[in-house]
Amino acid sequence: MKLILLGAPGAGKGTQAEIIKKKLDIPTISTGNILRAAVKNGTHIGLKAKEYMDSGRLVPDEVIIGVINERLQDADCANGFILDGVPRTIAQAEALEKAGISFDAVVAIEIADEKIVQRMGGRRVCEHCGCSYHIVNIPPKVEGVCDVCGGKLVQRKDDDPNTVRDRLEVYHKETEPLKGFYEARGILKTVEDQPTVEGTTQAILSALEK
């Protein structure tokens, strides 16, 4: 099963990707993580990405797609994967197609903007391993401490309400059009956000079975 999870920032894509990868036994390919890994490992494409990152420039789409393609050759992707963080634009979606990277389903999680603003205010992230929590919905066992590695949980600047509204504006303008792009290809599945994390997981799994 080769999947993309679409949705506004704070829609719960990261949380759902973690749960679904275990249920389907496929890896989550996080663009940010694989970019950092490629740079750290000094791969050809990683060194290319490092040039851009070191100079504070955005890593161009062809380099990002190259890093993804490199990662998808690994044995753990043989039965599928969940792509997280790309595509964010129609141009990236077209570049993925051009590189021969195809998908079985694209799941769009639908949620109201104001609900996202409230939700992200409670989000906390481990500054060491990047694990994500929520003070109400997914609290850590010990307040302020990551369950996985014991790192300190912090609120990212990205989760400030004004920043969230700006990010939502960018999402509606640049990323939301992807729904039409994948609907035209017959692989879009729309899922309404549910009151619980488990409820949303169930809705996604049901949509994938159809």
Side-chain angles (χ1 to χ4, degrees):
M1 179 69 84
K2 295 178 285 186
L3 293 178
I4 296 174
L5 290 184
L6 274 186
K13 300 183 298 296
T15 302
Q16 292 301 333
E18 279 303 303
I19 298 167
I20 288 161
K21 78 170 190 180
K22 287 173 189 157
K23 290 191 181 289
L24 300 181
D25 197 23
I26 53 176
T28 296
I29 310 298
S30 159
T31 326
N33 290 350
I34 59 171
L35 258 179
R36 284 188 288 275
V39 169
K40 191 179 168 190
N41 298 334
T43 69
H44 168 67
I45 210 124
L47 293 172
K48 219 169 177 183
K50 189 175 188 295
E51 283 175 34
Y52 288 94
M53 289 155 90
D54 286 350
S55 62
R57 290 175 294 163
L58 275 179
V59 180
D61 287 352
E62 65 266 23
V63 176
I64 290 173
I65 305 302
V67 172
I68 291 168
N69 229 337
E70 207 171 57
R71 174 68 181 86
L72 295 184
Q73 307 314 312
D74 291 354
D76 64 339
C77 294
N79 295 324
F81 53 85
I82 301 168
L83 197 54
D84 177 23
V86 164
R88 286 177 192 255
T89 60
I90 299 280
Q92 287 182 346
E94 288 171 344
L96 286 167
E97 280 191 353
K98 206 170 162 190
I101 300 168
S102 62
F103 302 95
D104 298 311
V106 176
V107 176
I109 303 172
E110 299 292 326
I111 178 170
D113 284 5
E114 276 315 305
K115 196 171 171 189
I116 284 177
V117 173
Q118 289 170 1
R119 176 185 284 181
M120 287 177 83
R123 196 154 78 166
R124 300 291 180 269
V125 177
C126 174
E127 61 181 3
H128 181 62
C129 76
C131 226
S132 199
Y133 298 85
H134 192 280
I135 52 177
V136 178
N137 301 338
I138 316 167
K141 293 186 178 99
V142 178
E143 192 179 332
V145 179
C146 176
D147 293 350
V148 179
C149 73
K152 183 183 172 192
L153 300 184
V154 294
Q155 182 175 37
R156 300 188 315 178
K157 189 176 174 237
D158 275 1
D159 294 337
D160 171 79
N162 291 329
T163 311
V164 172
R165 287 192 179 92
D166 290 344
R167 290 174 70 206
L168 285 168
E169 207 173 301
V170 172
Y171 166 77
H172 291 308
K173 187 177 159 196
E174 294 181 3
T175 306
E176 201 162 28
L178 285 168
K179 291 197 290 194
F181 180 89
Y182 287 115
E183 189 169 28
R185 281 149 182 76
I187 57 171
L188 182 76
K189 297 179 186 294
T190 305
V191 168
E192 291 295 328
D193 180 65
Q194 302 298 312
T196 63
V197 170
E198 295 78 12
T200 304
T201 303
Q202 206 39 62
I204 291 171
L205 293 172
S206 298
L208 291 176
E209 283 166 10
K210 287 174 186 166

